[in-house]
Amino acid sequence: MKKTEKHNYNLILGIVLTAIVLIPAVIGIFYTPYDTESMNLALKMASPSFSHPMGCDNYGRDIFSRIMKGSSITFLIGVGTVFWGSLIGTLVGAFTAYYGGVVDEILMRVNDVIFSFPSLLLALVFVAILGPGTYQVLFALAIAFIPSYARVVRGEFLRQKSMDYVQLARLAGAKDLRIMFVHILPNIRKVLISSILIGFNNAVLAEAGLSFLGIGVSPPKASLGSMLSDAQTYLFSKPELALFPGLTIIIMVLGISLISKEVA
Amino acid sequence: MKRILRVENLSIEFHDHALAEKVVTDLNLDIFEGEIVGLVGESGSGKSLTAMAAAGLLSRHDIKKSGIIDFDGTDMLSAERAELRKVQGNKLSVIFQEPMTSLNPLKKIGWQVEESMKIHMPEMTASERKNRALEVLLQVELKEPERVYNSYPHQLSGGMRQRVMIAAAMAITPKLLIADEPTTALDVTVQMEIIELLKDIRKTYGTSILFISHDLSLVSILCDRVAVMKNGVIVESGNVREIFDFPKHEYTKKLIASIPVVEL
């Protein structure tokens, strides 16, 4: 994994960029300088100042606080989506590749059907059924993300399964679960880790997209996407309303993709 | 002498294409306790397939098998996986041709040598296992067994890896060792060392060995009896000396004639 010193600039930059967004996001879970949901007419559309470094929005809410809270929600949705998506996807991919046969055919054809819809569209359908909200978005995105993980893991498992060391593990008398998760799984970790990081980025963008369309995290709760959505009305009169949440998304995604490039 | 392996009228057919393909026909083979039997033939003659069947590895549903493979009281052709597991890695071990892919690249040598002990002798403590592992590593003439124990496969040469494979196979002292072209990937001097090692193992443990090879000169050094295979049929079998001195079948004569003679 470690290359030469020279190549690690990408990794360092990625970690720094991610940290810039992540540290306020983590703090935002427990504490924000101002309340993120109560409105204050006196501060409507206030310009950036010392007490409100990024200004205030059309309801007089502090944008910096809302970005802290919003990126923590976005981040939690990203992590949750990737966690469930990759967990279930890995199980599906591992079992179908290892056992093959009818189960493989059925699960992978179902997979193909889900896969043939764009994941954002699929998430849209689920949200339409379940209604908007943080957990609904998480659930919808997780389901939409399972097929891509299942596919990646299945391909890698098939490749490893044909290797002699797997045959020998069978011949040592190892049980199937032990072969799958003790012998094979560690060998596909690189592919898995990078697809988890890329998946996280896609989840962040998908959440922003859903909230931008107004069907993601419901107001008055803040998420990066819903802030962008609210800001579009004032795009010409007050562009910084869109600028800061947009920049936050860009930095978060860029940072994670730099990291994923280096660890893979 | 007790018979360890009895193969009777073994036929193997592939059904993965429209036309069934018979790759092994009416094969008979016996191995007695402490005996080294060679199975010789060109590639595609079905010798490895026979060995895999004897090891209980041919469980694909597109392969049709008939006949009897009786290994020490276990029916290796039709026994359930759970029953096979009790035999594999316990009374029967296998070494493959390619020492580069036969070891899990991510696990330390010690872990891999201990695998069959972990599965079949759960009552052993970690330090007992380690002692046994170091003992067999020393037995296969690896210098500094302690260092090898803590190495990863990529840190060892091909010959050393093949020794590790033998050590892993012998850790639990099987009754039968199936060696599928164990020397083919190695250079000539290392080949001879491995052959000597297999002889030693028979001497120390009384383990029977099924030695599969296309190299008649190695077979003549190592084996007591030999069976010559062509197109899925055993064309000739018997005592090594007899076969070499008075080959009856055309194919055997050709094989013997093809052994290079170095004149200096």
Side-chain angles (χ1 to χ4, degrees):
Chain A
M1 240 187 258
K2 260 186 208 136
K3 295 176 198 160
T4 52
E5 286 291 318
K6 205 176 104 204
H7 290 281
N8 272 336
Y9 284 125
N10 274 342
L11 184 64
I12 294 166
L13 185 64
I15 292 174
V16 169
L17 287 180
T18 312
I20 288 175
V21 178
L22 210 60
I23 292 170
V26 170
I27 298 171
I29 300 174
F30 311 102
Y31 165 81
T32 49
Y34 297 92
D35 188 74
T36 56
E37 285 171 22
S38 61
M39 305 172 193
N40 183 350
L41 262 186
L43 285 167
K44 185 179 174 183
M45 296 291 195
S47 291
S49 61
F50 278 113
S51 48
H52 300 283
M54 292 179 185
C56 296
D57 67 5
N58 53 320
Y59 295 116
R61 299 174 294 199
D62 180 41
I63 292 184
F64 183 69
S65 302
R66 276 178 72 78
I67 284 186
M68 281 175 78
K69 196 82 189 171
S71 46
S72 75
I73 288 179
T74 300
F75 182 76
L76 288 181
I77 289 178
V79 169
T81 301
V82 164
F83 176 77
W84 288 109
S86 63
L87 183 72
I88 298 171
T90 301
L91 289 176
V92 169
F95 276 92
T96 54
Y98 191 82
Y99 289 108
V102 188
V103 184
D104 182 27
E105 282 297 323
I106 294 172
L107 278 174
M108 286 324 282
R109 291 303 79 79
V110 171
N111 210 43
D112 284 343
V113 171
I114 301 179
F115 205 57
S116 62
F117 292 100
S119 54
L120 195 61
L121 186 67
L122 197 74
L124 246 159
V125 172
F126 279 111
V127 170
I129 298 169
L130 301 167
T134 312
Y135 294 105
Q136 285 87 331
V137 170
L138 201 160
F139 181 76
L141 286 177
I143 288 184
F145 274 47
I146 289 171
S148 60
Y149 286 106
R151 199 146 271 268
V152 168
V153 170
R154 181 174 176 273
E156 284 295 306
F157 250 73
L158 280 178
R159 215 162 56 100
Q160 298 288 335
K161 195 187 144 193
S162 64
M163 307 247 282
D164 285 343
Y165 78 86
V166 177
Q167 292 279 337
L168 279 168
R170 276 175 84 87
L171 279 170
K175 288 186 179 164
D176 293 345
L177 285 178
R178 183 176 172 86
I179 297 174
M180 284 157 74
F181 297 111
V182 179
H183 287 267
I184 300 181
L185 193 62
N187 278 299
I188 66 165
R189 76 201 186 288
K190 276 190 183 176
V191 180
L192 200 56
I193 288 172
S194 57
S195 62
I196 281 175
L197 290 174
I198 293 167
F200 173 80
N201 274 348
N202 289 338
V204 166
L205 292 175
E207 184 279 322
L210 285 178
S211 299
F212 184 79
L213 293 172
I215 51 173
V217 175
S218 47
K221 258 193 177 164
S223 90
L224 295 176
S226 65
M227 290 175 74
L228 271 180
S229 172
D230 294 344
Q232 62 180 327
T233 327
Y234 310 98
L235 201 55
F236 292 104
S237 56
K238 204 80 173 127
E240 64 260 42
L241 287 188
L243 184 69
F244 292 115
L247 268 181
T248 312
I249 294 177
I250 291 173
I251 294 173
M252 191 190 275
V253 170
L254 183 64
I256 299 276
S257 20
L258 284 174
I259 294 175
S260 76
K261 239 182 231 164
E262 281 309 299
V263 296
Chain B
M1 258 194 302
K2 204 185 148 208
R3 184 157 54 185
I4 285 287
L5 180 76
R6 178 170 65 101
V7 180
E8 241 180 72
N9 299 328
L10 174 72
S11 292
I12 302 174
E13 259 177 60
F14 275 97
H15 284 264
D16 52 353
H17 294 288
L19 213 64
E21 200 180 347
K22 206 158 191 177
V23 283
V24 175
T25 315
D26 282 334
L27 185 138
N28 291 291
L29 187 73
D30 285 322
I31 298 178
F32 292 92
E33 214 164 50
E35 199 181 26
I36 303 185
V37 175
L39 195 54
V40 194
E42 60 198 5
S43 26
S45 60
K47 54 191 192 310
S48 288
L49 214 55
T50 307
M52 291 303 101
L57 265 189
L58 286 189
S59 53
R60 279 165 53 183
H61 28 249
D62 51 358
I63 298 179
K64 212 170 116 188
K65 302 154 287 184
S66 62
I68 300 171
I69 298 182
D70 178 11
F71 169 71
D72 202 30
T74 310
D75 177 1
M76 301 303 282
L77 270 190
S78 53
E80 286 296 309
R81 180 91 179 89
E83 204 181 324
L84 287 178
R85 261 206 303 270
K86 282 185 210 147
V87 175
Q88 291 168 337
N90 191 5
K91 293 199 279 184
L92 178 145
S93 289
V94 179
I95 319 167
F96 285 143
Q97 174 178 350
E98 197 49 73
M100 297 296 176
T101 56
S102 298
L103 291 164
N104 190 331
L106 276 186
K107 305 282 186 194
K108 285 187 176 173
I109 298 298
W111 190 92
Q112 308 198 42
V113 172
E114 287 175 8
E115 177 74 350
S116 56
M117 288 186 262
K118 270 177 270 176
I119 292 163
H120 295 288
M121 298 183 159
E123 71 279 2
M124 278 176 100
T125 64
S127 63
E128 279 171 354
R129 278 203 302 266
K130 184 173 178 183
N131 284 338
R132 174 64 186 154
L134 290 174
E135 190 186 342
V136 279
L137 285 173
L138 196 65
Q139 236 155 31
V140 297
E141 286 157 26
L142 282 164
K143 291 162 196 85
E144 304 177 78
E146 187 82 34
R147 189 178 64 83
V148 173
Y149 183 92
N150 287 313
S151 305
Y152 287 97
H154 72 269
Q155 295 169 309
L156 306 179
S157 71
M160 288 169 90
R161 277 187 244 195
Q162 201 57 294
R163 284 169 196 275
V164 168
M165 292 307 305
I166 297 175
M170 297 311 296
I172 207 151
T173 48
K175 291 185 173 173
L176 175 65
L177 176 66
I178 296 177
D180 188 0
E181 308 225 21
T183 58
T184 308
L186 307 173
D187 54 43
V188 185
T189 46
V190 184
Q191 279 187 0
M192 286 312 298
E193 291 168 20
I194 297 289
I195 294 294
E196 287 305 317
L197 190 58
L198 289 175
K199 277 185 176 173
D200 282 352
I201 277 172
R202 190 243 314 246
K203 211 186 238 170
T204 327
Y205 295 105
T207 302
S208 313
I209 300 176
L210 176 58
F211 182 76
I212 294 159
S213 179
H214 58 257
D215 190 337
L216 268 182
S217 49
L218 291 179
V219 169
S220 71
I221 304 169
L222 177 68
C223 301
D224 308 317
R225 280 192 304 123
V226 61
V228 182
M229 260 186 111
K230 186 176 198 285
N231 294 336
V233 182
I234 290 186
V235 293
E236 192 166 359
S237 67
N239 191 288
V240 168
R241 285 270 67 84
E242 278 168 32
I243 298 267
F244 265 78
D245 295 342
F246 311 104
K248 289 189 192 81
H249 196 275
E250 263 326 292
Y251 182 64
T252 320
K253 287 179 189 165
K254 270 196 209 162
L255 273 183
I256 293 172
S258 71
I259 298 177
V261 182
V262 184
E263 289 177 32
L264 292 172

